[in-house]
Amino acid sequence: MAKVNKMCVKTVAIAFNVLFGVLGCLLLGVALYAMTIYDEVDEEDYENFHKGRIAVLVIGTIILIMSCLGALGAYLETQWVLILYLILTGIGLVILLIFAVSLSILKSVILDSGPFTNNMTVDQAHNTTKEWLESVQKWAECCGWENGYQDWGQNIPDSCLCDSNDPDSPKCHSLSNHTVGEDGSSVLSSKVIFSEPCAPIYIGHMERFVNAAIGIYFGLVVIDMIGMVLSIMMICQIKKYVPTSAFYQSPPTYSDLNNKPLC
């Protein structure tokens, strides 16, 4: 019965580490695929894109190495390999828990922190911040930060302009403005701009991203704990299972004892 349980734990441990290795290969594939789309990434987002690709590459490599180590230890039933795997998974578990708990605690701080502090308006912000906001306005189809187009004052950028082919869209707002012409007369001009401010849209995207990151971290924590439990069970099974043929010998016969030499 013990041998059956041992084979069952061994099979589960190997299958688990194989699936874990497949996950690592998928992450490596994503990182390698990201290398082929460098040209499609904007210069402003290139640095963050590069950091993300490196992070995925490192995580995928670590997962692949750990899975190979666990599968090898389970297949060969080598105690020191399984102990090494247990130690490394324990270290990984602590690191993942630190990241997951820290991110959960700092979630509100991350979401509340914006580019504009101390009641700073968009018009008073640094040029780099203005350029960042304009890039957000393009992909999020919004204008301004919290108060909409009013955050820009009289200097509404072109990134706020709504698609002229669909001026009746709920996202669009027609804005009329009086300007002074060259002859000093008042000229009425109008433009169609995005009506929604960017802060709710951007914070919503950030919240989904942070929640996904927290979910991934805690998911890896669960996977790590399963790997630790399987390795502990394998180590215990190896210690319990001792072949009887190696230590058991039949008792000597009477004639063997009687004919035993004195020295």
Side-chain angles (χ1 to χ4, degrees), residues 117-195:
T117 57
N118 299 326
N119 297 323
M120 179 191 298
T121 61
V122 175
D123 196 41
Q124 297 171 341
H126 193 269
N127 289 334
T128 305
T129 305
K130 292 180 180 179
E131 292 175 358
W132 172 82
L133 180 57
E134 288 197 50
S135 65
V136 173
Q137 291 176 161
K138 291 178 181 178
W139 64 261
E141 297 184 346
C142 55
C143 184
W145 185 245
E146 292 183 344
N147 302 314
Y149 69 91
Q150 296 177 354
D151 288 336
W152 289 100
Q154 299 297 324
N155 302 316
I156 300 177
D158 293 339
S159 57
C160 281
L161 297 180
C162 192
D163 188 0
S164 59
N165 295 327
D166 190 15
D168 297 330
S169 172
K171 293 183 177 181
C172 300
H173 173 71
S174 180
L175 178 64
S176 299
N177 187 26
H178 288 275
T179 58
V180 179
E182 296 180 357
D183 57 355
S185 60
S186 178
V187 179
L188 179 63
S189 61
S190 62
K191 58 176 67 176
V192 180
I193 61 175
F194 293 114
S195 58

Side-chain angles (χ1 to χ4, degrees), residues 2-254:
K3 189 172 182 180
V4 173
N5 292 335
K6 179 184 175 184
M7 290 301 298
C8 180
V9 174
K10 178 179 178 179
T11 303
V12 173
I14 294 174
F16 169 80
N17 283 284
V18 168
L19 293 176
F20 200 36
V22 171
L23 175 61
C25 291
L26 290 175
L27 292 176
L28 288 176
V30 171
L32 294 175
Y33 173 75
M35 297 178 61
T36 63
I37 58 174
Y38 267 177
D39 297 336
E40 302 177 12
V41 180
D42 297 335
E43 294 182 1
E44 300 174 357
D45 301 329
Y46 178 82
E47 184 176 356
N48 292 331
F49 178 82
H50 181 68
K51 291 180 180 179
R53 186 186 69 84
I54 294 299
V56 173
L57 187 64
V58 171
I59 294 173
T61 304
I62 292 175
I63 289 176
L64 186 59
I65 294 174
M66 291 294 295
S67 63
C68 291
L69 187 64
L72 181 65
Y75 178 76
L76 298 178
E77 300 181 14
T78 308
Q79 187 171 340
W80 72 267
V81 177
L82 291 171
I83 293 175
L84 177 62
Y85 175 77
L86 179 62
I87 294 173
L88 293 178
T89 51
I91 295 173
L93 178 64
V94 173
I95 295 174
L96 288 171
L97 280 174
I98 291 174
F99 275 107
V101 174
S102 300
L103 193 57
S104 300
I105 295 174
L106 297 175
K107 176 182 175 181
S108 58
V109 178
I110 296 173
L111 296 179
D112 292 338
S113 61
F116 307 100
T117 57
N118 299 326
N119 297 323
M120 179 191 298
T121 61
V122 175
D123 196 41
Q124 297 171 341
H126 193 269
N127 289 334
T128 305
T129 305
K130 292 180 180 179
E131 292 175 358
W132 172 82
L133 180 57
E134 288 197 50
S135 65
V136 173
Q137 291 176 161
K138 291 178 181 178
W139 64 261
E141 297 184 346
C142 55
C143 184
W145 185 245
E146 292 183 344
N147 302 314
Y149 69 91
Q150 296 177 354
D151 288 336
W152 289 100
Q154 299 297 324
N155 302 316
I156 300 177
D158 293 339
S159 57
C160 281
L161 297 180
C162 192
D163 188 0
S164 59
N165 295 327
D166 190 15
D168 297 330
S169 172
K171 293 183 177 181
C172 300
H173 173 71
S174 180
L175 178 64
S176 299
N177 187 26
H178 288 275
T179 58
V180 179
E182 296 180 357
D183 57 355
S185 60
S186 178
V187 179
L188 179 63
S189 61
S190 62
K191 58 176 67 176
V192 180
I193 61 175
F194 293 114
S195 58
E196 297 183 58
C198 294
I201 300 175
Y202 181 79
I203 292 175
H205 279 81
M206 284 296 298
E207 185 174 9
R208 286 189 288 272
F209 175 78
V210 173
N211 289 336
I214 293 174
I216 291 172
Y217 278 129
F218 278 111
L220 291 175
V221 166
V222 173
I223 293 174
D224 211 336
M225 292 178 65
I226 294 174
M228 290 182 66
V229 171
L230 290 174
S231 62
I232 291 173
M233 293 176 66
M234 281 292 300
I235 292 171
C236 293
Q237 290 287 349
I238 292 174
K239 287 183 177 180
K240 286 181 180 179
Y241 179 69
V242 179
T244 56
S245 60
F247 297 95
Y248 178 76
Q249 295 180 354
S250 58
T253 61
Y254 177 79

